[in-house]
Amino acid sequence: MSDWLAIHRGDAPLVVAFPHGGTELGGIEDRFVSPWRARRDADWWIAELYAFARDLGATTIETRVSRSVIDVNRDPSGVSLYPGMATTELCPTTTFDGDPLYRGFDPEEDEIAWRRRNFFDPYHAALAAELERLRAVHGRVVLYDAHSIRSRVPRLFEGELPQFNIGTNSGTTCAPSLEAMMAQACDRSGHGWIANGRFKGGWTTRHYGQPDKGIHAIQMELAMRGYMDEPDAISPENWPTPLLPAPPIAPTLRAVLTACLTFAKGPA
């Protein structure tokens, strides 16, 4: 473990990854318009929300570096995962709302390469190593990429996002039975859910999800209203709000991870 990469090794055939919960700014704080703006789009409290995963025997991997420095869930080549749709880059230049992140020039090619070497590559080397470690023991492993976002971000999607957003790149990154088990757990919650809607899974899900080789990857994008209060308009004075003491979606998340383990331990 480094000072910015936290790995907890479990023995169960489940890896839970947190690519966007970090708030550290990689020593380039002065480049940003403000530290708050550079941290605004973090997946706030996501590792804390899923802290119970360790009790299930899961391995967890968490980068503490902000997605504004480098987004470890983007294609490192720079190719858009959602062609024709608003999104952010490998090294984002704007917030989700389209506000500029930098005071002066946006990061250039050599700086992007430096950030990739120092943060992106080590994160994915660690993730790949944990998946291989567990696959060697179990034969079949689930990679659960844990995300969250504000319920309303007009630049990225219309209206209010469903509470649970399952992404499997249209069914290609995991077995259909795993997607169905997760959908059933979400449906029983009484909250809204969708599979492969606005969020179909980022680079991590698409890159590692190889069901024929024993790695089943799935992304879960949560609307933040399920575990924290969301002001109508966010500002440095009111955002982020605290993690709710008893998040209403917590039982469903436990059911979802339990379903992942049931699948991974079940018959091939």
Side-chain angles (χ1 to χ4, degrees), residues 1-265:
M1 184 177 75
S2 71
D3 58 351
W4 63 269
L5 182 63
I7 303 171
H8 169 81
R9 291 185 174 89
D11 296 323
L14 173 63
V15 175
V16 181
F18 306 109
H20 292 157
T23 58
E24 296 180 9
L25 298 180
I28 59 169
E29 290 86 348
D30 292 344
R31 294 283 309 280
F32 292 109
V33 170
S34 73
W36 178 79
R37 185 175 291 187
R39 297 177 174 123
R40 184 165 76 183
D41 294 329
D43 294 7
W44 290 104
W45 319 127
I46 194 74
E48 292 86 349
L49 180 66
Y50 283 97
F52 68 89
R54 297 184 181 188
D55 298 332
L56 299 177
T59 292
T60 60
I61 298 181
E62 172 189 1
T63 173
R64 294 169 177 159
V65 174
S66 169
R67 66 185 302 156
S68 294
V69 175
I70 190 163
D71 189 334
V72 296
N73 195 38
R74 292 291 182 269
D75 189 323
S77 72
V79 173
S80 175
L81 298 173
Y82 296 98
M85 303 180 72
T87 186
T88 51
E89 311 97 320
L90 178 67
C91 291
T93 57
T94 66
T95 67
F96 288 163
D97 298 310
D99 298 319
L101 282 172
Y102 291 95
R103 292 182 182 276
F105 294 105
D106 293 339
E108 297 182 349
E109 186 175 342
D110 58 344
E111 183 177 351
I112 293 171
W114 179 87
R115 296 186 198 184
R116 180 176 171 181
R117 287 193 306 272
N118 283 274
F119 303 115
F120 186 101
D121 292 348
Y123 174 83
H124 282 285
L127 180 54
E130 293 307 313
L131 288 169
E132 286 303 313
R133 176 180 68 85
L134 292 169
R135 185 169 60 167
V137 175
H138 298 281
R140 183 163 62 181
V141 179
V142 173
L143 168 59
Y144 182 97
D145 211 34
H147 296 258
S148 67
I149 192 170
R150 284 178 284 137
S151 300
R152 292 181 178 272
V153 185
R155 179 171 171 263
L156 299 184
F157 50 84
E158 294 183 2
E160 186 174 76
L161 195 70
Q163 179 62 77
F164 300 102
N165 299 265
I166 301 168
T168 63
N169 198 26
S170 299
T172 63
T173 64
C174 73
S177 57
L178 173 58
E179 182 178 326
M181 292 168 71
M182 290 187 61
Q184 289 168 6
C186 294
D187 194 55
R188 287 194 294 267
S189 74
H191 296 284
W193 68 275
I194 193 171
N196 296 301
R198 173 60 178 88
F199 298 100
K200 299 180 185 295
W203 188 79
T204 298
T205 306
R206 303 183 197 195
H207 178 70
Y208 292 102
Q210 301 180 64
D212 58 328
K213 296 182 180 179
I215 297 181
H216 299 257
I218 197 158
Q219 176 174 306
M220 176 66 84
E221 188 88 45
L222 302 172
M224 287 181 172
R225 65 181 180 276
Y227 68 91
M228 58 190 293
D229 292 329
E230 291 190 57
D232 291 335
I234 63 171
S235 69
E237 291 71 37
N238 66 15
W239 188 256
T241 59
L243 176 68
L244 294 174
I249 62 172
T252 301
L253 296 180
R254 182 176 288 272
V256 164
L257 292 195
T258 300
C260 290
L261 284 170
T262 299
F263 166 82
K265 295 176 180 179

